Amino acid sequence: FWLSQRLPGGPAGPAINGDCFGFGSSNGSGSSGDDANALAFHVATTPVEKATRETLARAYSDAFAYEKDGLILIHKEALYIQGQQTPLCLQWKDAHCSRYPIDTDAEGNVLEKQSVVLQLAADGRSVCTGDDDPIALGALPLAFAQENAGSLRPGMLFRFNLGEGGLVLAPDGKPAGANLELVGMPKKRVAGDVVSRILFQYLTRTGQVTFQTLLAGFSSPSEPGDVDM
């Protein structure tokens, strides 16, 4: 509300020069020295509503002044700080409300196999999610771990593909392991993937979760739960 009252330019928001945030700079200083070459983009506030079956269906189906990239669900009594990992702030996306619901390569092509980034545990071989309470999903290949034992450090990141077996799910639905194929080390990552992201990508790829599944979580079409959207 505070931000929406201070943004001029209507629903699309004002045009912001990218140099204000260090974008569009040719010399890395935050200013290119040439306004014609500076990036310009619009900042827009998104609508916030109590999450019910009705409002979810409308947000999912209706067109907006901007291109949607899924729905954000936030627990209405939670204090959420941007950048922190929490199950109380989650994103829903599929092909209907997002251009890229499944991870793609640099050209926008869907990856043949699901890619996950995991971090090395203190034992020097187990690899875990990037959650505050990490979940071990597998281990580095024994030969690789032995060959590189002198250079491996806890917290190092490794990229894997999910093999044919995919994820192993425990009775409570949480991942308990995975068929991991070591790819290498990621170039531009500072933390491993959180379990919610890994699980959502997996369920989306395998068709085990749909928007109707999300709607089924609400007992009444119009009665709000504990979530804002």
Side-chain angles (χ1 to χ4, degrees):
F1 174 80
W2 180 89
L3 184 60
S4 66
Q5 298 304 303
R6 287 160 176 75
L7 282 179
I16 304 295
N17 190 308
D19 282 350
C20 295
F21 302 96
F23 303 140
S25 171
S26 60
N27 56 18
S29 65
S31 176
S32 64
D34 184 356
D35 290 340
N37 293 328
L39 294 175
F41 52 89
H42 288 276
V43 174
T45 57
T46 57
V48 177
E49 297 190 70
K50 300 297 182 184
T52 66
R53 289 188 193 177
E54 182 181 44
T55 57
L56 277 172
R58 186 167 64 247
Y60 180 75
S61 302
D62 289 357
F64 291 85
Y66 52 86
E67 187 172 27
K68 287 186 291 187
D69 187 27
L71 310 176
I72 299 292
L73 303 173
I74 304 176
H75 195 286
K76 65 183 181 183
E77 295 182 357
L79 180 61
Y80 174 66
I81 300 175
Q82 184 177 2
Q84 290 190 348
Q85 299 167 3
T86 170
L88 302 180
C89 180
L90 299 173
Q91 183 180 33
W92 165 271
K93 59 168 65 178
D94 63 15
H96 181 79
C97 63
S98 173
R99 290 178 62 191
Y100 302 112
I102 298 177
D103 290 342
T104 63
D105 60 19
E107 284 72 43
N109 301 310
V110 173
L111 299 175
E112 181 179 350
K113 296 182 178 180
Q114 181 177 345
S115 177
V116 298
V117 173
L118 301 173
Q119 59 192 35
L120 190 63
D123 64 7
R125 189 165 173 229
S126 298
V127 287
C128 309
T129 65
D131 298 276
D132 291 335
D133 294 318
I135 298 175
L137 294 183
L140 292 174
L142 180 58
F144 177 87
Q146 291 175 338
E147 182 179 348
N148 297 277
S151 58
L152 295 178
R153 299 289 183 273
M156 291 180 69
L157 300 179
F158 293 90
R159 185 177 297 279
F160 299 85
N161 286 336
L162 286 190
E164 186 176 348
L167 288 178
V168 177
L169 302 181
D172 61 1
K174 295 180 180 179
N179 182 357
L180 300 174
E181 301 172 350
L182 180 62
V183 175
M185 301 183 71
K187 296 180 180 179
K188 299 181 179 180
R189 294 290 299 272
V190 296
D193 290 331
V194 295
V195 67
S196 60
R197 185 183 190 283
I198 295 172
L199 184 58
F200 186 79
Q201 282 283 308
Y202 178 72
L203 295 177
T204 301
R205 278 177 165 269
T206 55
Q208 298 184 55
V209 61
T210 66
F211 184 68
Q212 295 304 317
T213 308
L214 182 63
L215 289 182
F218 291 82
S219 58
S220 171
S222 59
E223 182 180 352
D226 295 326
V227 176
D228 285 340
M229 174 185 59

